[in-house]
Amino acid sequence: KHHYTYHGLNASGQEDPQDYTSYDGLIRLFAEWRVGVLKDRIQRDPDGAQAQAVGVGPADGGSPHCVCEKCRDLLRKGPYGLFLDQDASIPDRVFHLSNEVAKRVMNAYTDRYVNLYAYYDHAAPPTIPIHPQTIVTVCPRGFQMTGFFGEALVDEWIDKSRRNPWGRFKLGAY
């Protein structure tokens, strides 16, 4: 399962259920891997298309997402503020991971991006902000479970980019 809030261990070596700020688990490992892939691409072909962004999406086919209390509490207790009183949706959790990788990509390469396909169970815009170093590729006519028709889904994403508190992010279509 994708456990998006695995943020470090307590004194007994177990995941700390109150730790929403350190990134010693899955998030750190995934971010280091993706930044390493981007670094390799840049070294091979600095101006090539593959060196401009690195994908950060979960595996195809409806990956099993963690539904533990901590993952659901990401919006209430995590890095997006205590004032949000709702469970984190799957798009919130997927884009949280994307945001963390985007921060690390920006620290290493200010002109590079992460790319995340918005499809299947994370096709709808999340309620959390999206890092501006993100390219969101929307799949409006298929591979999505939002209930929106294609144009309506695109409109939702355009609106999300326009009102994103961290600044606009790039949009593409599949």
Side-chain angles (χ1 to χ4, degrees):
K1 291 181 181 179
H2 300 290
H3 187 47
Y4 300 106
T5 56
Y6 180 54
H7 295 303
L9 305 177
N10 61 22
S12 25
Q14 301 295 317
E15 181 187 359
D16 186 343
Q18 302 305 313
D19 183 355
Y20 287 88
T21 58
S22 68
Y23 292 96
D24 295 332
L26 172 72
I27 290 174
R28 179 185 59 81
L29 294 172
F30 184 76
E32 287 174 358
W33 172 51
R34 299 318 293 162
V35 171
V37 167
L38 184 59
K39 178 181 178 182
D40 291 345
R41 291 175 180 175
I42 292 168
Q43 288 174 344
R44 282 195 310 267
D45 186 10
D47 298 320
Q50 291 292 314
Q52 303 308 307
V54 65
V56 294
D60 287 352
S63 303
H65 299 277
C66 184
V67 293
C68 76
E69 184 177 351
K70 188 172 180 184
C71 284
R72 290 190 322 267
D73 281 348
L74 178 65
L75 293 181
R76 283 187 287 275
K77 299 178 181 178
Y80 303 100
L82 300 175
F83 57 91
L84 296 166
D85 190 25
Q86 62 190 31
D87 284 351
S89 65
I90 290 173
D92 292 327
R93 292 178 239 165
V94 171
F95 278 90
H96 168 62
L97 181 61
S98 172
N99 285 341
E100 292 305 316
V101 178
K103 289 175 193 175
R104 287 162 178 80
V105 166
M106 189 184 81
N107 286 338
Y109 308 102
T110 58
D111 60 341
R112 309 301 163 120
Y113 297 86
V114 300
N115 179 53
L116 182 54
Y117 283 90
Y119 74 118
Y120 199 65
D121 53 5
H122 59 280
T127 61
I128 66 171
I130 296 175
H131 195 282
Q133 295 293 115
T134 303
I135 302 167
V136 177
T137 305
V138 183
C139 303
R141 298 221 189 296
F143 312 114
Q144 53 107 342
M145 302 169 59
T146 64
F148 290 117
F149 290 106
E151 292 77 17
L153 182 60
V154 170
D155 289 344
E156 290 289 318
W157 276 104
I158 290 170
D159 186 51
K160 176 68 178 181
S161 183
R162 284 185 182 142
R163 61 181 172 77
N164 190 45
W166 294 350
R168 285 188 170 196
F169 51 88
K170 296 182 181 301
L171 285 170
Y174 179 90

